[in-house]
Amino acid sequence: MQITTYTSFRQQLKSYLDKVRKDHMPLFVTNSKDEDVVVLSKSDYESMEETFYLLKSPKNALRLLQGIEDYEKGLAKERSLIEE
């Protein structure tokens, strides 16, 4: 996690944005007067939104977590995709 101030962020905008995209790590921009902000790459934001969507349904969340647990226990089975 990287933290910077608004002033530093403004002065080095390109370098901070390049680093956020490259490292896939959020950047926290602090401000003494207003609420802080977090900068994310678009792909990280979309991934987070998809995860929230998939976990929104308790039934689906349970199914996904059970699948992860089964995988970690070595119970996963490889399957081939049907090509049409």
Side-chain angles (χ1 to χ4, degrees), residues 8-39:
S8 177
F9 184 64
R10 276 193 310 268
Q11 291 170 348
Q12 301 172 53
L13 181 64
K14 182 182 181 335
S15 107
Y16 278 120
L17 294 180
D18 288 346
K19 186 165 178 50
V20 166
R21 279 191 293 265
K22 179 181 166 257
D23 296 345
H24 294 280
M25 294 293 293
L27 171 66
F28 291 80
V29 184
T30 62
N31 184 336
S32 60
K33 297 177 185 171
D34 292 319
E35 185 176 11
D36 299 344
V37 297
V38 178
V39 180

Side-chain angles (χ1 to χ4, degrees), residues 19-65:
K19 186 165 178 50
V20 166
R21 279 191 293 265
K22 179 181 166 257
D23 296 345
H24 294 280
M25 294 293 293
L27 171 66
F28 291 80
V29 184
T30 62
N31 184 336
S32 60
K33 297 177 185 171
D34 292 319
E35 185 176 11
D36 299 344
V37 297
V38 178
V39 180
L40 296 170
S41 70
K42 182 180 177 192
S43 63
D44 290 338
Y45 173 78
E46 288 172 344
S47 176
M48 188 176 67
E49 285 291 301
E50 182 176 356
T51 300
F52 290 157
Y53 175 79
L54 292 172
L55 295 177
K56 184 168 54 173
S57 158
K59 200 173 194 178
N60 196 48
L62 185 61
R63 184 170 179 243
L64 290 169
L65 294 173

